Amino acid sequence: MPSSSDKYVFRSTLGWVWFGVAVVVCGYLLVDMAIRGGVWDAFLVAPWLIGVCWLVWIFQVSPRIVADDDGARVVNVLRVIELPWSTVEAVRLRYNMEFQLRTGAKVTAWGGSSRRLHKSLKRRSAEDPAEQEAEALQRLHANSNDRSGRVHRT
């Protein structure tokens, strides 16, 4: 995706919370192992705890949607999909963001906020962040130039 000055990055904020919890818990376990067992034992356990933090990063923080005037880049767990706006027919919000392509295929994004399924009574009037992100993507899609392009998956 060509670089543009106005890029919008949509990422789940709850993923950062899970990552912070994982880092704190793994840090506590590592310090506890060093105190109770010894530094060598902590050294042996550290790669496993780092692996747990890495998995939380891959599944919770890394997925995102990067959008600009030219298109959107959907970063999922194992795949990066670049979508020029000319290949996108519609942008919808189901539980996650969904891009309907002109070829009939659908691309579901793991990144971005998820739709709130249950709203509390206090926050019933509050705007859902996922709906705001969907509106921003729909505006970018509506205002895009119809330059030719193709979907690129890596």
Side-chain angles (χ1 to χ4, degrees):
M1 187 164 63
S3 63
S4 175
S5 60
D6 296 332
K7 286 189 185 245
Y8 299 98
V9 179
F10 302 110
R11 184 179 279 183
S12 173
T13 54
L14 191 59
W16 286 105
V17 173
W18 280 112
F19 183 67
V21 168
V23 167
V24 167
V25 168
C26 289
Y28 171 76
L29 291 174
L30 193 61
V31 169
D32 184 55
M33 177 64 77
I35 292 171
R36 292 183 189 209
V39 176
W40 180 249
D41 292 332
F43 182 73
L44 292 175
V45 171
W48 297 101
L49 295 176
I50 291 170
V52 168
C53 292
W54 179 73
L55 283 174
V56 172
W57 175 269
I58 292 296
F59 282 96
Q60 296 292 322
V61 179
S62 180
R64 64 191 174 276
I65 303 169
V66 181
D68 61 7
D69 294 333
D70 298 327
R73 172 183 279 166
V74 177
V75 180
N76 286 338
V77 174
L78 297 175
R79 178 163 268 183
V80 177
I81 305 168
E82 295 188 21
L83 304 167
W85 290 124
S86 61
T87 62
V88 177
E89 185 175 324
V91 179
R92 288 188 296 232
L93 177 65
R94 301 264 172 134
Y95 179 69
N96 287 342
M97 202 67 62
E98 183 178 274
F99 295 88
Q100 178 71 38
L101 303 181
R102 295 192 192 282
T103 61
K106 293 179 187 174
V107 175
T108 303
W110 283 38
S113 298
S114 298
R115 177 175 280 187
R116 291 184 192 157
L117 296 179
H118 305 287
K119 293 184 180 180
S120 66
L121 292 176
K122 291 189 296 187
R123 301 180 80 188
R124 209 170 277 270
S125 63
E127 188 71 25
D128 190 355
E131 291 176 6
Q132 291 175 345
E133 292 176 8
E135 289 171 4
L137 286 171
Q138 289 166 352
R139 272 195 309 274
L140 282 170
H141 178 250
N143 296 332
S144 68
N145 302 334
D146 273 341
R147 288 186 269 171
S148 63
R150 59 185 214 110
V151 176
H152 187 267
R153 298 172 191 258
T154 54

